[in-house]
Amino acid sequence: MKTSTLATRLAMAAILLTVLLYFGIHAAIYVMGMDPYTTSLAYAFTCDDAVTVNGYVVRREQVLPGGGELVYSPRREGERVSAGGTVALIYQTAEALSEANILRGLEEQMDQLLYARSLAGTSQVRPDEETAAALLDFRQAAASGDLEEAVEQGSALRSAVLKRSYAYSGTEELDASIASLQGQIASLSASADPATTRVTAPQAGLFSSLVDGYEAILNPEMAETLTPSSFAAIAPQPVSGAVGRMIYGKTWAFVCCMQTKDMGDMLVGDRLTLRFHKGLSRDMEVKVASISAEENGQRVVVFSSEKYLSLTTLLRSQSAQVIFHTYDGIRVPRSAVRVEQVPVTDEDGNILLDANGHEKTQPVTCVFTLWGELARRKPVRVLWQEDEYILVAPDDEYLNTLATEGGREGRRLRSGEQVITAAADLYDGKVIR
């Protein structure tokens, strides 16, 4: 029991000694003028003045009837099809579809072999380059997570490898393979099911294999008539027996409901940036096509674009950022930004005096950076503010008032500098130890 009491007393004494030592050190620093300071790295940064919204991608679309499980489409997603062009083939039996797929595979191999035959005896540089390029394209598609693109690039890679292998071998083996394929193709073509149904494009446009039920209820003209209440009631209609859809025109739109307070001074005709959170890895420049009347503090806004229609064919219900402005500057902690009263100078750098003989001063927003062992004031202008940081840029208007080029450049804040975030009695030229 006595041992426990002694240990407790020793522990309490150690804690008390630590606290006294801590305050003693800081008192000594204050008395001796050795002010503690902290710094942080200033670095280049980009931030957006943006608001997140939810809405729908809208196009002029037409559902193509037909369907079932025995359907084959020779068209890629977003591929342009002329009026009357084939977009799908519907087979009567699973056997007919299987044979048709085999025939298409043989015809693809025949094209590859004929290409390889045309290269026989020529330089091997071209097939080598084609294979390397196809491998790179496949790797990029796989890394991006785009499965449809990966499948397409995988087919191109197989084709390139086959062409390369035959380009290196002799022509006898190649001619034998071509003759064998010709026989197989002729046999399968003769036994092909003649009852295949061909689905064609009613008019020229882009083909999409996705049908989601919004085609009949969403179009660019209708979107501009929506109100917040009718926007909230949007729902897809059931669709059955479709092989895909055609997309017409060259314009697409994004319709969303926004809080009026988040819109700022946005007007019809303004050009902004739209960034989808999924499905499209690029920012899109859009125009404000329409803004509805206000209803319960909300408005329906339609953004339109004539670019990259083929990249939006799989997009519908989307969360996106509406970006009003993008700021590029230098990011510094909020605690590093100060407002200092700085003497006013003439063109030669002489300090000006007021009528009472006192130095004229002006408020300057600034940060202090480490300049060797000194604190140096750097004038800045604020571009954007967040809770924890401020985005700034050098205050060129103030810098231009300095007398010399060297003085201006010495006061210009740059990415990579150490800004002082905390220090006692900080001033320009103070020695920092």
Side-chain angles (χ1 to χ4, degrees):
M1 196 68 173
K2 292 181 179 180
T3 302
S4 175
T5 302
L6 179 60
T8 301
R9 290 178 178 178
L10 290 174
M12 293 297 294
I15 294 173
L16 178 60
L17 181 60
T18 301
V19 172
L20 292 174
L21 183 63
Y22 173 82
F23 283 105
I25 291 174
H26 280 266
I29 289 175
Y30 179 79
V31 171
M32 298 173 63
M34 299 171 59
D35 298 332
Y37 68 93
T38 58
T39 65
S40 180
L41 181 68
Y43 57 92
F45 192 73
T46 299
C47 62
D48 299 315
D49 177 11
V51 60
T52 299
V53 297
N54 296 303
Y56 302 93
V57 176
V58 181
R59 299 163 290 258
R60 192 170 291 105
E61 302 165 322
Q62 179 182 4
V63 175
L64 300 173
E69 297 181 357
L70 307 179
V71 177
Y72 168 77
S73 175
R75 303 295 182 176
R76 300 186 306 275
E77 183 68 32
E79 181 179 352
R80 181 161 295 279
V81 183
S82 59
T86 300
V87 296
L89 298 170
I90 304 175
Y91 295 89
Q92 301 301 314
T93 64
E95 181 181 0
L97 175 59
S98 177
E99 291 180 353
N101 287 333
I102 294 174
L103 179 59
R104 279 186 285 269
L106 294 177
E107 290 173 341
E108 181 180 352
Q109 291 182 42
M110 176 62 74
D111 291 338
Q112 296 165 357
L113 293 181
L114 291 175
Y115 177 77
R117 183 68 178 81
S118 69
L119 296 178
T122 63
S123 170
Q124 307 306 318
V125 174
R126 184 177 178 184
D128 284 345
E129 291 180 348
E130 184 178 357
T131 303
L135 179 60
L136 180 61
D137 291 341
F138 174 72
R139 181 179 179 181
Q140 291 176 340
S144 69
D146 189 338
L147 298 182
E148 183 175 348
E149 179 68 13
V151 169
E152 184 175 338
Q153 295 301 334
S155 177
L157 176 59
R158 289 192 298 272
S159 174
V161 170
L162 181 60
K163 293 173 183 177
R164 181 180 182 278
S165 63
Y166 276 110
Y168 276 104
S169 63
T171 59
E172 293 182 2
E173 181 182 353
L174 181 57
D175 290 339
S177 297
I178 291 175
S180 175
L181 272 179
Q182 287 175 334
Q184 296 178 57
I185 291 173
S187 177
L188 280 174
S189 297
S191 61
D193 187 354
T196 301
T197 301
R198 187 181 301 272
V199 180
T200 59
Q203 54 182 296
L206 303 180
F207 172 75
S208 175
S209 60
L210 177 65
V211 176
D212 56 20
Y214 288 98
E215 292 81 7
I217 62 174
L218 284 176
N219 60 66
E221 291 77 17
M222 182 278 293
E224 295 186 5
T225 67
L226 287 172
T227 64
S229 56
S230 60
F231 176 88
I234 293 175
Q237 296 179 349
V239 178
S240 60
V243 299
R245 64 187 174 196
M246 292 298 297
I247 299 172
Y248 303 125
K250 59 180 182 179
T251 302
W252 61 275
F254 180 71
V255 56
C256 63
C257 197
M258 298 182 65
Q259 296 288 334
T260 302
K261 62 182 179 62
D262 293 334
M263 294 171 56
D265 56 357
M266 184 171 66
L267 299 172
V268 173
D270 288 351
R271 292 195 172 274
L272 307 173
T273 300
L274 196 64
R275 179 183 298 158
F276 291 124
H277 290 168
K278 60 181 180 180
L280 192 62
S281 58
R282 70 173 69 197
D283 292 349
M284 314 288 285
E285 181 182 329
V286 293
K287 181 178 71 173
V288 181
S290 69
I291 301 175
S292 75
E294 185 175 11
E295 184 180 298
N296 297 323
Q298 295 181 316
R299 298 176 186 268
V300 174
V301 182
V302 179
F303 303 96
S304 66
S305 174
E306 295 184 353
K307 294 183 178 180
Y308 309 116
L309 174 63
S310 62
L311 300 182
T312 71
T313 59
L314 293 177
L315 305 182
R316 183 67 79 188
S317 180
Q318 286 285 314
S319 176
Q321 278 188 306
V322 178
I323 302 174
F324 300 100
H325 198 282
T326 297
Y327 299 95
D328 295 311
I330 300 175
R331 175 171 169 161
V332 298
R334 177 176 285 274
S335 59
V337 180
R338 304 163 179 259
V339 177
E340 298 280 322
Q341 290 294 329
V342 178
V344 179
T345 60
D346 59 19
E347 295 180 354
D348 298 323
N350 301 313
I351 297 177
L352 300 179
L353 303 178
D354 61 18
N356 297 322
H358 300 136
E359 292 184 353
K360 285 186 177 181
T361 62
Q362 60 179 332
V364 174
T365 302
C366 63
V367 299
F368 284 89
T369 65
L370 284 181
W371 188 268
E373 294 185 350
L374 304 179
R376 170 158 287 194
R377 183 192 302 114
K378 301 289 182 77
V380 298
R381 55 188 177 90
V382 175
L383 302 178
W384 186 253
Q385 301 185 49
E386 292 289 347
D387 292 338
E388 297 181 355
Y389 72 88
I390 296 180
L391 198 69
V392 300
D395 187 350
D396 290 326
E397 183 176 351
Y398 176 83
L399 291 174
N400 289 335
T401 65
L402 301 182
T404 65
E405 179 68 20
R408 289 190 288 271
E409 291 306 309
R411 296 289 177 175
R412 181 178 297 278
L413 178 65
R414 291 178 172 81
S415 175
E417 291 191 277
Q418 291 288 337
V419 296
I420 300 173
T421 57
D425 190 28
L426 188 61
Y427 55 87
D428 189 48
K430 180 178 182 178
V431 177
I432 302 292
R433 297 184 177 89

